[in-house]
């Protein structure tokens, strides 16, 4: 091994922070050094650096602070939202920091870690049946808000969603790649906030950057070309016909959100690539094992698409892909199914290879 003369040092962030909320955003774009082919540069934007571990911290603080500014939210009013998890965890964190009560509605299919995390932050979690899918928990949140006078966060429709990505996520990308090539930016969609907000700015300031969108091959809502039935307020009326349940949590709900519709109407993506969930989980694990970077299934899915793109990309292409959340959010989910908790035979032989501290049976 080559001797390393580099001495790692840090110098602080230059100031103490007034609130956890001020630590949201400014996530790093990190180069991958082992997985991509040698002829490209592939970077990941690691949203798990946000204080509650996902990209949705940005949305959560935006919804609440925009509503405070407009007067739509009263001090101490309860906030309610339908959430596949990360939005709920982000809102629970922001509500805890600002002193608002928070109620999340979510389908029973969402991982246990997510429910427990929200409750740990002091939120209440109302579960809805699996058979009613995301739309069921959405309708429950609307009912609870109407019957109690609560503030509905409306992540799928609110203008505060794409706006925060335009002002923060997109600005960070433009700043980090200033004076550098950026040939491709790869993302998936849940609400579509990341895509729509980032694309608004990239189309203006980096028009040469190709925007690559992905969705699960089991739920090709956009790929099907079928439109979404919506109310006058933009809320979905029924499940999209191309939807099938999939394991890429946080991606592609069973309807096309209004926030995403702006990206469709404005041609905000140059290509649409379906991805399968097995490959997504495999890429998430590879990213941990080969690069030391821990992300969830949607991060693995985005990386799977970026790696395929990298194979075909021309010499010295630069690709950036989004990693929406941390892999720790999936310990009880299929992503970690293959990871054993007991010693395997190799670990057992290691245990037996020296005389002391042996575990005799699988305690
Ligand atoms: N991945 C995960 C794990 C998520 O929770 C979300 C947000 N639902 C996304 C991706 C997609 O982000 P957006 O809502 O901005 O499209």
């Amino acid at each position: 091994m080559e001797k390393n003369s580099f001495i790692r040092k840090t110098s602080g962030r230059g100031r103490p922070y007034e609130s956890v909320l001020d630590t949201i955003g400014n996530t790093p774009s990190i180069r991958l050094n082992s997985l991509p082919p040698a002829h490209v540069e592939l970077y990941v934007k690691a949203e798990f650096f946000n204080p509650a571990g996902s990209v949705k911290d940005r949305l959560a603080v935006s919804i609440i602070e925009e509503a405070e500014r407009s007067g739509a939210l009263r001090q101490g009013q309860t906030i309610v939202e339908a959430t596949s998890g990360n939005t709920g965890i982000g809102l629970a964190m922001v509500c805890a920091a600002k002193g608002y009560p928070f109620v999340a509605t979510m389908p029973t299919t969402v991982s246990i870690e997510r429910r427990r995390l929200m409750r740990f932050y002091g939120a209440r979690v109302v579960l809805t049946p699996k058979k009613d899918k995301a739309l069921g928990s959405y309708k429950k949140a609307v009912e609870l808000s109407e019957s109690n006078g609560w503030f509905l966060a409306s992540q799928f429709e609110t203008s505060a969603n794409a706006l925060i990505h335009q002002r923060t996520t997109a600005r960070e990308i433009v700043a980090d790649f200033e004076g550098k090539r950026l040939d491709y930016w790869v993302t998936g969609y849940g609400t579509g906030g990341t895509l729509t907000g980032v694309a608004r700015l990239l189309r203006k300031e980096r028009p040469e950057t190709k925007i690559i969108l992905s969705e699960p091959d089991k739920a090709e809502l956009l790929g099907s070309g079928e439109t979404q039935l919506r109310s006058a307020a933009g809320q979905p009326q029924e499940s999209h016909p191309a939807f099938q349940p999939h394991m890429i949590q946080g991606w592609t709900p069973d309807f096309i959100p209004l926030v995403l519709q702006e990206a469709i109407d404005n041609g905000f993506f140059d290509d649409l690539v379906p991805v399968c969930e097995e490959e997504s989980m495999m890429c998430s694990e590879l990213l941990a094992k080969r690069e030391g970077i821990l992300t969830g299934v949607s991060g693995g899915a985005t990386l799977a698409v970026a790696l395929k793109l990298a194979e075909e990309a021309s010499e010295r292409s630069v690709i950036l892909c989004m990693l929406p959340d941390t892999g720790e959010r999936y310990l009880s989910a299929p992503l970690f199914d293959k990871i054993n908790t007991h010693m395997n035979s190799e670990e057992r032989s290691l245990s037996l290879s020296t005389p002391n501290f042996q575990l005799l049976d699988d305690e």
Side-chain angles (χ1 to χ4, degrees), residues 56 84 86 165 189-194 249-251 298 324-325 330:
K56 303 316 280 260
S84 70
N86 282 328
H165 291 288
Y189 66 86
T191 61
T194 310
Q249 265 189 44
W251 263 24
S298 67
D325 71 353
Y330 301 83

Side-chain angles (χ1 to χ4, degrees), residues 54-56 59 84-87 114 155-156 161 165 187-195 248-252 296-299 323-325 330:
S54 91
V55 67
K56 303 316 280 260
L59 165 72
S84 70
N86 282 328
T87 300
R114 296 182 181 217
Q155 60 166 329
F156 294 105
N161 186 345
H165 291 288
T187 187
Y189 66 86
T191 61
T194 310
L195 168 69
I248 311 179
Q249 265 189 44
W251 263 24
T252 311
V297 187
S298 67
L323 300 183
D325 71 353
Y330 301 83

Side-chain angles (χ1 to χ4, degrees), residues 109-114 218 246-249 277-278 280-282 284-285 296-297 327 329-340:
T109 42
V110 168
S111 70
I112 297 285
E113 290 86 332
R114 296 182 181 217
K218 281 188 172 167
H246 59 83
M247 288 195 285
I248 311 179
Q249 265 189 44
E277 53 202 22
E278 288 77 18
S280 305
M281 289 194 259
M282 197 185 76
S284 167
E285 194 175 340
V297 187
R329 211 137 279 177
Y330 301 83
L331 291 172
S332 73
L335 181 60
F336 276 77
D337 271 359
K338 285 192 312 195
I339 310 300
N340 52 322

